Amino acid sequence: MDLRRIENIIRIAEEKNITRAADKLFISQPALNLQLLNLEKELGTKLFYRRGNEWSITEAGRIYVDTARKMIAMKKDCYSRISDIAKLHNEEIAVGAAGIEADYMMTSIYRQFHKMNPTVKLQLNIMKGLKAQELVKNGTIDLGIILMGDKQNYRLQYELLSHVEMVLAVASSNPLVNEVEYEEDGTMVMDIRKFKDVPFFLGPKDSTERFVSEQVFEQAGFEPDVYMDAEGINYELALVAADECAALIGASHHVDIPDDVQLIKLKTHPVMNAYAVYRKDKYLSEPMRNLIDLARDYWTEDQD
């Protein structure tokens, strides 16, 4: 089987449209369509239902694509093992990073990783945690570095990198800042219920940050007034600094906090978990292990 053709068919299945797939593959749509027609003729059955611009996969197509992904994964694992033995490290690693801080994290990781592995090519993709897990599971990407709760997929390996505490971000000028409390060790904390009448900037509805935030509000016994739900930590902090709203964000020393924004821990100390996620049958090459270790160092530094 032609592995290049296999990868092209997988792309059609992912895009659900042959024109978009051809654009992503940098080949002409007629050429890609001819590859598909020849394959379907060889197999004696259709791999896709064509309904206008949207294509859906047939049962035969699903079997083909599932098998094709396994073949691609086997090829990558084979090359990674040989690369480790030969000390060439000329592999390509596709990474999906998720979380409101993904841009900061991957920028920091990439700089260090490239110094350690100058011949390894990283494909960096910013995406939601659930999407990253799905793409790791089907072999589209090799590794996910994500924030999530405790729910896990049994087909995947989850390597805990660190716990990330959610904290309250509020304008320093907000009078409620004066109502902080102190734990026995001197830690300054806030009862989130004091902010029940304050609007909140919340993350996207399908994000881990949003899920954990909603758990915090549910435990506190009130539904917040949602000022805005969107993605973008700098925009979020700018609105908090202007005292337009408050927010719940992951504690991090890598994000620049405006001088007029104060971060306060919550009495309940809610946390997200940072994980490296990969298939259980995935061979971890030396560069992949370097990448996971750098991600752990990044999150662990936040705890110091």
Side-chain angles (χ1 to χ4, degrees), residues 61-83:
R62 184 189 64 77
I63 293 172
Y64 182 92
V65 169
D66 286 350
T67 304
R69 283 175 170 148
K70 292 176 183 177
M71 294 177 65
I72 297 299
M74 289 175 64
K75 174 192 172 185
K76 292 195 73 170
D77 278 4
C78 173
Y79 279 41
S80 294
R81 290 173 184 269
I82 293 174
S83 179

Short mmCIF file of all heavy atoms in Angstrom, two decimals, residues 61-83:
data_model
loop_
_atom_site.label_atom_id
_atom_site.label_comp_id
_atom_site.label_asym_id
_atom_site.label_seq_id
_atom_site.Cartn_x
_atom_site.Cartn_y
_atom_site.Cartn_z
N GLY A 61 -15.16 2.69 4.53
CA GLY A 61 -14.20 3.77 4.70
C GLY A 61 -13.67 3.85 6.11
O GLY A 61 -12.48 4.11 6.34
N ARG A 62 -14.56 3.63 7.09
CA ARG A 62 -14.13 3.66 8.49
C ARG A 62 -13.11 2.57 8.76
O ARG A 62 -12.09 2.81 9.43
CB ARG A 62 -15.34 3.49 9.41
CG ARG A 62 -15.00 3.61 10.90
CD ARG A 62 -16.18 3.21 11.76
NE ARG A 62 -16.51 1.80 11.58
CZ ARG A 62 -15.82 0.79 12.10
NH1 ARG A 62 -14.74 1.03 12.85
NH2 ARG A 62 -16.18 -0.46 11.88
N ILE A 63 -13.35 1.37 8.23
CA ILE A 63 -12.40 0.26 8.41
C ILE A 63 -11.05 0.61 7.77
O ILE A 63 -9.99 0.37 8.35
CB ILE A 63 -12.98 -1.03 7.81
CG1 ILE A 63 -14.20 -1.49 8.61
CG2 ILE A 63 -11.91 -2.13 7.78
CD1 ILE A 63 -14.95 -2.65 7.99
N TYR A 64 -11.12 1.17 6.56
CA TYR A 64 -9.89 1.53 5.86
C TYR A 64 -9.10 2.59 6.64
O TYR A 64 -7.89 2.45 6.85
CB TYR A 64 -10.21 2.05 4.45
CG TYR A 64 -8.99 2.40 3.64
CD1 TYR A 64 -8.39 1.45 2.80
CD2 TYR A 64 -8.40 3.66 3.72
CE1 TYR A 64 -7.26 1.75 2.07
CE2 TYR A 64 -7.26 3.97 2.99
CZ TYR A 64 -6.69 3.02 2.17
OH TYR A 64 -5.56 3.32 1.45
N VAL A 65 -9.79 3.65 7.07
CA VAL A 65 -9.11 4.76 7.76
C VAL A 65 -8.56 4.31 9.11
O VAL A 65 -7.44 4.67 9.49
CB VAL A 65 -10.07 5.96 7.92
CG1 VAL A 65 -9.47 7.01 8.86
CG2 VAL A 65 -10.36 6.58 6.56
N ASP A 66 -9.33 3.51 9.86
CA ASP A 66 -8.84 3.01 11.15
C ASP A 66 -7.56 2.19 10.97
O ASP A 66 -6.59 2.33 11.71
CB ASP A 66 -9.91 2.16 11.85
CG ASP A 66 -11.04 2.99 12.43
OD1 ASP A 66 -10.90 4.22 12.46
OD2 ASP A 66 -12.06 2.41 12.82
N THR A 67 -7.58 1.32 9.96
CA THR A 67 -6.40 0.49 9.68
C THR A 67 -5.24 1.35 9.18
O THR A 67 -4.08 1.15 9.56
CB THR A 67 -6.74 -0.58 8.63
OG1 THR A 67 -7.85 -1.36 9.08
CG2 THR A 67 -5.54 -1.50 8.39
N ALA A 68 -5.57 2.34 8.35
CA ALA A 68 -4.54 3.22 7.80
C ALA A 68 -3.83 3.99 8.91
O ALA A 68 -2.60 4.15 8.90
CB ALA A 68 -5.17 4.19 6.80
N ARG A 69 -4.59 4.46 9.89
CA ARG A 69 -3.98 5.19 11.00
C ARG A 69 -3.05 4.30 11.81
O ARG A 69 -1.99 4.75 12.27
CB ARG A 69 -5.08 5.77 11.90
CG ARG A 69 -5.75 7.00 11.32
CD ARG A 69 -6.90 7.48 12.15
NE ARG A 69 -7.36 8.79 11.71
CZ ARG A 69 -8.62 9.19 11.79
NH1 ARG A 69 -9.55 8.39 12.29
NH2 ARG A 69 -8.97 10.40 11.38
N LYS A 70 -3.42 3.05 11.97
CA LYS A 70 -2.55 2.12 12.67
C LYS A 70 -1.25 1.90 11.90
O LYS A 70 -0.17 1.81 12.49
CB LYS A 70 -3.27 0.78 12.89
CG LYS A 70 -4.44 0.86 13.87
CD LYS A 70 -5.16 -0.47 13.97
CE LYS A 70 -6.37 -0.38 14.89
NZ LYS A 70 -7.13 -1.65 14.93
N MET A 71 -1.36 1.83 10.58
CA MET A 71 -0.17 1.64 9.75
C MET A 71 0.76 2.84 9.84
O MET A 71 1.98 2.69 9.96
CB MET A 71 -0.58 1.38 8.31
CG MET A 71 -1.33 0.07 8.09
SD MET A 71 -1.86 -0.13 6.39
CE MET A 71 -0.28 -0.25 5.55
N ILE A 72 0.18 4.03 9.81
CA ILE A 72 0.99 5.25 9.91
C ILE A 72 1.67 5.30 11.28
O ILE A 72 2.85 5.67 11.40
CB ILE A 72 0.12 6.50 9.69
CG1 ILE A 72 -0.47 6.51 8.28
CG2 ILE A 72 0.94 7.77 9.94
CD1 ILE A 72 0.55 6.53 7.18
N ALA A 73 0.91 4.93 12.32
CA ALA A 73 1.49 4.93 13.67
C ALA A 73 2.62 3.92 13.79
O ALA A 73 3.65 4.19 14.42
CB ALA A 73 0.40 4.62 14.70
N MET A 74 2.45 2.74 13.16
CA MET A 74 3.51 1.72 13.18
C MET A 74 4.75 2.22 12.46
O MET A 74 5.88 2.00 12.91
CB MET A 74 2.99 0.44 12.54
CG MET A 74 1.95 -0.31 13.36
SD MET A 74 1.27 -1.74 12.49
CE MET A 74 2.72 -2.76 12.34
N LYS A 75 4.55 2.93 11.36
CA LYS A 75 5.69 3.47 10.61
C LYS A 75 6.44 4.49 11.48
O LYS A 75 7.68 4.47 11.56
CB LYS A 75 5.21 4.12 9.32
CG LYS A 75 6.33 4.84 8.56
CD LYS A 75 5.79 5.71 7.45
CE LYS A 75 6.90 6.56 6.83
NZ LYS A 75 6.39 7.50 5.82
N LYS A 76 5.70 5.39 12.13
CA LYS A 76 6.33 6.42 12.95
C LYS A 76 7.08 5.79 14.11
O LYS A 76 8.19 6.21 14.45
CB LYS A 76 5.28 7.40 13.46
CG LYS A 76 4.65 8.27 12.39
CD LYS A 76 3.91 9.44 12.97
CE LYS A 76 4.88 10.48 13.51
NZ LYS A 76 4.19 11.74 13.88
N ASP A 77 6.47 4.79 14.75
CA ASP A 77 7.15 4.13 15.86
C ASP A 77 8.42 3.43 15.39
O ASP A 77 9.46 3.47 16.07
CB ASP A 77 6.21 3.11 16.52
CG ASP A 77 5.26 3.76 17.51
OD1 ASP A 77 5.28 5.01 17.61
OD2 ASP A 77 4.50 3.04 18.16
N CYS A 78 8.34 2.78 14.23
CA CYS A 78 9.50 2.10 13.66
C CYS A 78 10.64 3.08 13.42
O CYS A 78 11.79 2.86 13.82
CB CYS A 78 9.10 1.40 12.36
SG CYS A 78 10.49 0.67 11.44
N TYR A 79 10.32 4.20 12.79
CA TYR A 79 11.34 5.20 12.49
C TYR A 79 11.90 5.82 13.77
O TYR A 79 13.10 6.13 13.85
CB TYR A 79 10.76 6.28 11.59
CG TYR A 79 10.69 5.92 10.12
CD1 TYR A 79 10.30 4.64 9.72
CD2 TYR A 79 11.02 6.83 9.13
CE1 TYR A 79 10.25 4.29 8.38
CE2 TYR A 79 10.97 6.50 7.78
CZ TYR A 79 10.58 5.22 7.41
OH TYR A 79 10.53 4.87 6.09
N SER A 80 11.04 6.01 14.77
CA SER A 80 11.50 6.59 16.04
C SER A 80 12.48 5.66 16.74
O SER A 80 13.51 6.09 17.28
CB SER A 80 10.31 6.87 16.96
OG SER A 80 9.49 7.89 16.43
N ARG A 81 12.18 4.37 16.75
CA ARG A 81 13.06 3.40 17.38
C ARG A 81 14.42 3.36 16.69
O ARG A 81 15.47 3.35 17.34
CB ARG A 81 12.42 2.00 17.35
CG ARG A 81 11.22 1.85 18.26
CD ARG A 81 10.54 0.51 18.04
NE ARG A 81 9.33 0.37 18.82
CZ ARG A 81 9.27 -0.15 20.04
NH1 ARG A 81 10.38 -0.58 20.62
NH2 ARG A 81 8.13 -0.24 20.69
N ILE A 82 14.39 3.34 15.35
CA ILE A 82 15.64 3.29 14.60
C ILE A 82 16.42 4.59 14.79
O ILE A 82 17.65 4.59 14.93
CB ILE A 82 15.35 3.04 13.11
CG1 ILE A 82 14.78 1.62 12.93
CG2 ILE A 82 16.61 3.23 12.27
CD1 ILE A 82 14.32 1.32 11.53
N SER A 83 15.69 5.72 14.84
CA SER A 83 16.33 7.01 15.05
C SER A 83 17.04 7.05 16.41
O SER A 83 18.15 7.59 16.53
CB SER A 83 15.30 8.13 14.97
OG SER A 83 15.89 9.39 15.19
#
